[in-house]
Amino acid sequence: MKLPSPLYVILDREAAGGRDLLPLLDAVLGGGCRMVQLREKHMPLAELYPVARALGERCRQAGALFLVNDRADLARAVGADGLHVGQDDLPAAAARGLLPRGAVLGVSTHDPRQAHQALADGADYIAVGSIFPTGTKAEFRLVGTQLLATLRPEIPVPLVGIGGITPDNAEQVITAGADAVAVISAVCAAPDPEAATRRLMERLETALRNRSLN
Ligand code: TZP
Ligand code: MG
């Protein structure tokens, strides 16, 4: 698959300081991002379901891809475009079996073995991280940009760098071989999420242009 934008914003209520996710999504879409994930680790499913439906509907209207983190049941129930799983979630091959045909499946990986397994399990894109230290995920594994450079020639699906990415270091992630970057705090915790999204989009587009010229 081709990712719809080089920026993938993960909406996380905790990182957003409890701010409502719908206006945050509007800011993200207004800033030009077209790939969004709902990540919510604490809200009961009964409360999360209407939130996910509303976010998904808004993404559909804007022509953005909407993915749900962790939960295949929620992704299916709200008709999300896809699901993102990590190493502690339902194994990717099993998750793939629960999704409708054509749904996007993303998998978080932290080493080459996990990345190749994700590919074999049918991942449409592979997230690689943590690229930089992050305060968002408690037990992150620091892999640096080097893992992206190692995987790039081996992995034929899009690679998404994640972890500690900001407008100031995003170019390094693209230069190392990522097709896109995923961010949580750089947008969700920003005082002006729309401006933060726009700045990231600009930096990423410049980085991709520079890479294609080299
Ligand atoms: N997986 C690896 S690092 C990370 C996840 C979910 C957290 C990314 O958050 P931030 O705020 O963009 O560093
Ligand atoms: Mg997970």
Side-chain angles (χ1 to χ4, degrees):
M1 78 172 292
K2 187 174 167 0
L3 301 179
S5 72
L7 178 63
Y8 182 6
V9 173
I10 301 173
L11 301 175
D12 182 307
R13 204 171 41 106
E14 195 171 326
R19 281 190 284 189
D20 219 347
L21 293 184
L22 209 52
L24 182 56
L25 173 61
D26 283 335
V28 166
L29 295 171
C33 174
R34 286 295 175 271
M35 188 163 180
V36 173
Q37 180 193 116
L38 171 60
R39 178 181 193 259
E40 170 57 64
K41 299 284 184 186
H42 306 294
M43 202 186 270
L45 265 184
E47 276 174 56
L48 190 53
Y49 172 74
V51 174
R53 272 191 69 124
L55 297 174
E57 183 52 35
R58 195 64 62 89
C59 283
R60 217 167 351 264
Q61 286 163 0
L65 212 57
F66 177 65
L67 288 92
V68 168
N69 193 31
D70 296 341
R71 304 287 310 228
D73 51 356
L74 183 62
R76 272 212 79 135
V78 303
D81 297 304
L83 171 72
H84 186 92
V85 291
Q87 297 296 318
D88 295 331
D89 299 315
L90 202 57
R96 170 56 86 201
L98 291 177
L99 296 176
R101 197 188 303 273
V104 174
L105 177 65
V107 181
S108 281
T109 68
H110 317 290
D111 60 41
R113 188 191 58 76
Q114 291 174 356
H116 283 278
Q117 185 64 52
L119 187 65
D121 287 346
D124 293 295
Y125 71 85
I126 294 177
V128 176
S130 189
I131 303 295
F132 304 111
T134 174
T136 306
K137 192 178 168 81
E139 290 174 14
F140 70 89
R141 210 160 120 192
L142 190 63
V143 301
T145 54
Q146 181 53 49
L147 182 56
L148 285 167
T150 302
L151 292 176
R152 183 65 289 168
E154 301 173 1
I155 299 288
V157 298
L159 293 175
V160 178
I162 184 168
I165 299 172
T166 67
D168 289 337
N169 61 24
E171 177 154 21
Q172 292 174 54
V173 186
I174 297 297
T175 305
D179 299 283
V181 307
V183 302
I184 299 179
S185 53
V187 166
C188 293
D192 183 343
E194 182 163 345
T197 301
R198 191 168 297 116
R199 192 167 326 115
L200 274 158
M201 284 292 295
E202 285 165 6
R203 297 283 169 92
L204 292 166
E205 277 158 3
T206 303
L208 284 165
R209 212 174 309 119
N210 290 342
R211 193 177 70 183
S212 74
L213 295 175
N214 289 328

